[in-house]
Amino acid sequence: MTGKHLNYNEVLSRIQECGKSSQHLQDFTRKIVEILYEEFEHYHWIGFYWVRGDVLELGEWKGKSATEHIKIPLGQGICGAAAAAGKTENIPDVTRDSRYLACFPSSRSEVVVPIKSSIKVIGEIDIDSDQLSAFTDEDVRFLESVAEVVASFYCTERGQ
Ligand code: SME
């Protein structure tokens, strides 16, 4: 598990700065997926999903290939479970989780972090890795902080 830069605080600061210079959520989240993909070698596919009614819809993403899971019903897959419960899912071995919806044959582990406003889950960050047990507690803490920054941007943009 070797990232090019494993300075999570530094990357979080860069993301916070990007938020200040981004006009729209799409613009901001596009920059975030670029930064995460560049900075962390164990993040092989990064995507934002947004809650639209009872479904998660794919937003900005970065990775070697596209996923067929553009829409995921809430409650289905690791993504749907994390959104329905509002809790981070850190799956060290996706082959051992019966909820897993396969996207890429190379994926071995996955982390899904909900993005929450003060009242509800509005979306999530989904990351796949080709390494087993790729995501540490530090990754989870870092990604939960990124999710908070995104939630704050989302709520400000919508005047909430
Ligand atoms: N594996 C996810 C589906 C999304 S793809 O990883 C991009 C899941 O089980 O919900």
Side-chain angles (χ1 to χ4, degrees):
M1 201 179 333
T2 49
K4 278 177 249 172
H5 305 141
L6 282 180
N7 189 338
Y8 291 84
N9 286 335
E10 197 180 299
V11 178
L12 183 62
S13 298
R14 271 185 63 198
I15 288 172
Q16 282 164 331
E17 284 307 309
C18 266
K20 291 179 196 160
S21 60
S22 299
Q23 296 296 316
H24 303 290
L25 187 67
Q26 189 180 4
D27 176 35
F28 186 31
T29 52
R30 187 182 312 117
K31 289 177 192 159
I32 293 174
V33 296
E34 295 283 345
I35 291 171
L36 295 181
Y37 191 77
E38 272 305 306
E39 295 295 333
F40 299 107
E41 283 180 353
H42 58 305
Y43 294 7
H44 293 117
W45 189 93
I46 301 142
F48 281 89
Y49 282 94
W50 302 106
V51 175
R52 307 266 185 259
D54 294 339
V55 172
L56 288 161
E57 280 185 15
L58 184 63
E60 294 298 317
W61 64 272
K62 175 98 182 171
K64 281 193 289 262
S65 46
T67 174
E68 66 188 62
H69 297 293
I70 308 293
K71 292 188 181 186
I72 301 174
L74 283 181
Q76 280 188 24
I78 312 290
C79 286
K87 287 198 180 136
T88 295
E89 292 277 358
N90 185 5
I91 311 298
D93 181 350
V94 291
T95 65
R96 291 174 176 271
D97 195 312
S98 58
R99 301 168 303 174
Y100 178 64
L101 297 173
C103 282
F104 317 109
S106 57
S107 289
R108 293 290 172 269
S109 57
E110 178 166 17
V111 65
V112 184
V113 177
I115 301 168
K116 300 188 254 189
S117 73
S118 55
I119 49 167
K120 59 179 182 173
V121 176
I122 53 183
E124 60 190 28
I125 306 170
D126 175 24
I127 306 186
D128 281 39
S129 180
D130 296 351
Q131 297 167 24
L132 270 177
S133 307
F135 305 105
T136 63
D137 290 347
E138 195 171 22
D139 285 294
V140 169
R141 279 195 299 275
F142 164 71
L143 293 167
E144 287 178 346
S145 299
V146 173
E148 280 175 26
V149 174
V150 174
S152 164
F153 189 100
Y154 178 105
C155 292
T156 304
E157 189 178 67
R158 283 160 181 74
Q160 292 173 1

